Amino acid sequence: MAKLVRTSFAAVETKADELSQYFYGALFSVSPDTRALFPINMATQRNRLLRALVYVVQMVDRPEELTTFLSQLGRDHRKFDVLGRHYDAVGVALIATLKRFLKDDWTPEVEEAWVTAYGVISKTMRDAASKEIGPAWWKAPVVEHRLVSPDVAIVKVRTDQPLPYRAGGYVSVEVPQRPRMWRYLSPATAPHDNGLIEFHVHAVRGGWVSRTIVHHTRFGDVWRLGPSLGALSVHHTESRPLLMIGGGTGVAPLLALLDEMARWKNNPPVHLFFGGHRPDDLYALDHLRVLAVTCPWLTVTPVTEEGTIAGGDRGTLATAVTQRGAWKERDVFVAGSPSMIRATIAKLLAAGTDLARIKYDPFTLD
């Protein structure tokens, strides 16, 4: 099944835009009421569908990781008031879309593989959602909004009741200016008892939500936050050295991990590469350098593609990291834009890094 799913998806992945457009057209035809679950502008949603499919296909023969991811996704989808028939409609639309684009390659064996795979996906998400007893979303008023560069803002919110999340994870966010346009953001701090959560947001070109957050968020705005998701986490009993690679505001979940680790007595060595196009993009570098002084287990290397920083490397993050070796003795955490994650992982694998040692999350961009 895994091989058939992978090879058949690879045959249509290059037609991502047409595939996602056809899928949503089919979904809204099969189940018209699902249209109300999505924002008016569907561009980002179509991209997110592809990233989800890619991620699932990559993990189709890694059931433990896939179950964790799908269970989180199922709990998160409760905020949309998703019903059982909506899952059925998605399955019908997905099979119809793959059949149309695969054409002659859509064999009975391929169909059986995808029907089986979607059955697992649907059941895992439904079961997780039905067992969840916590809120579908949390109310979180904005208590601070601060620009740290023309396109990056630090926003602090305080939830009305504790939102359980792990350092390194992410949550879905809806802001009042963009209803139904949920976006995934990673807290930049470990959980605190006072309910305060800090986000670092970059105004992505063409990003409806990110630009609104950076330039139009005001004190007192009430956000809605979904349940926590994510696979980036560190346990205090782990002893393997860590390599962390963060691009731009993608460093936020890594900052949360470091915030948590700074509270522990003993830590493994951590080497963090923090990159951006220009020195001004490294908005969190001063904070990281202060942290490195107080935490002797932490080494920070800034990386810029243009311009230079004292003690820093020049080039892309992928190049800067891999030119120092394969880091085979370390667990690797990668966070940033999807293109940065793809390029970095590709370079690491080419350098000899074990894929099983590399962790990343797929939904981090507007």
Side-chain angles (χ1 to χ4, degrees):
M1 183 194 74
K3 183 178 180 180
L4 285 171
V5 166
R6 278 211 179 98
T7 54
S8 58
F9 185 74
V12 298
E13 192 175 355
T14 56
K15 301 175 182 178
D17 290 339
E18 304 101 299
L19 185 145
S20 58
Q21 287 182 23
Y22 186 89
F23 167 80
Y24 281 107
L27 175 62
F28 300 152
S29 296
V30 171
S31 180
D33 63 321
T34 58
R35 185 63 185 89
L37 304 178
F38 298 96
I40 295 173
N41 186 308
M42 290 289 293
T44 298
Q45 185 63 39
R46 285 195 290 268
N47 291 335
R48 188 175 294 167
L49 167 69
L50 178 66
R51 293 208 300 275
L53 281 173
V54 170
Y55 200 65
V56 168
V57 168
Q58 288 174 338
M59 295 191 298
V60 71
D61 55 357
R62 292 150 65 183
E64 187 173 335
E65 293 178 48
L66 183 59
T67 298
T68 298
F69 172 70
L70 292 174
S71 297
Q72 291 178 342
L73 212 56
R75 289 191 290 270
D76 182 59
H77 274 57
R78 293 167 63 236
K79 66 179 183 283
F80 297 121
D81 295 324
V82 174
L83 304 175
R85 56 186 170 81
H86 295 148
Y87 282 101
D88 297 335
V90 167
V92 171
L94 177 62
I95 297 303
T97 302
L98 292 167
K99 182 177 182 178
R100 176 182 177 85
F101 282 83
L102 281 168
K103 298 180 181 177
D104 292 341
D105 291 330
W106 183 255
T107 65
E109 293 77 18
V110 171
E111 180 172 2
E112 183 181 359
W114 274 102
V115 169
T116 301
Y118 183 73
V120 172
I121 292 170
S122 175
K123 184 179 188 307
T124 304
M125 290 180 66
R126 289 195 216 198
D127 288 350
S130 65
K131 293 175 183 175
E132 181 59 49
I133 59 174
W137 51 270
W138 285 256
K139 185 186 296 185
V142 173
V143 298
E144 183 180 332
H145 176 275
R146 175 166 53 94
L147 285 173
V148 292
S149 80
D151 291 317
V152 175
I154 291 179
V155 183
K156 295 181 181 180
V157 302
R158 193 186 303 276
T159 56
D160 58 343
Q161 54 183 307
L163 189 166
Y165 73 92
R166 297 183 66 178
Y170 57 98
V171 298
S172 52
V173 173
E174 182 194 52
V175 301
Q177 295 89 346
R178 300 294 187 197
R180 289 189 293 167
M181 298 185 75
W182 292 83
R183 295 296 184 266
Y184 292 116
L185 298 178
S186 296
T189 53
H192 292 273
D193 293 338
N194 59 9
L196 200 64
I197 303 177
E198 178 176 307
F199 296 103
H200 298 179
V201 185
H202 173 239
V204 179
R205 180 176 296 180
W208 286 49
V209 175
S210 64
R211 299 193 72 82
T212 294
I213 291 175
V214 171
H215 299 299
H216 302 292
T217 293
R218 297 291 180 266
F219 177 87
D221 284 354
V222 179
W223 289 12
R224 292 203 298 167
L225 309 182
S228 63
L229 303 95
L232 302 184
S233 62
V234 178
H235 195 272
H236 70 274
T237 60
E238 294 178 5
S239 58
R240 279 182 66 88
L242 303 177
L243 169 64
M244 295 184 177
I245 308 167
T249 52
V251 79
L254 307 181
L255 287 171
L257 290 172
L258 295 175
D259 181 33
E260 182 171 70
M261 294 175 72
R263 307 174 191 179
W264 301 343
K265 275 189 174 183
N266 299 301
N267 285 301
V270 177
H271 195 139
L272 169 66
F273 286 81
F274 177 35
H277 289 288
R278 295 170 296 276
D280 289 347
D281 294 330
L282 305 189
Y283 70 97
L285 183 57
D286 288 344
H287 170 69
L288 284 167
R289 282 176 164 165
V290 170
L291 191 61
V293 170
T294 58
C295 301
W297 43 267
L298 174 63
T299 301
V300 176
T301 299
V303 181
T304 51
E305 297 180 35
E306 302 174 10
T308 57
I309 292 180
D313 288 358
R314 181 78 179 272
T316 65
L317 270 168
T319 299
V321 171
T322 54
Q323 69 184 2
R324 300 198 185 200
W327 304 88
K328 292 182 178 181
E329 79 286 0
R330 299 197 179 220
D331 287 334
V332 183
F333 294 74
V334 186
S337 70
S339 59
M340 170 265 174
I341 291 173
R342 285 194 298 269
T344 302
I345 291 177
K347 279 266 191 178
L348 287 167
L349 294 176
T353 307
D354 185 354
L355 177 61
R357 294 290 181 190
I358 302 174
K359 296 182 181 179
Y360 71 98
D361 281 321
F363 303 114
T364 52
L365 193 64
D366 188 275

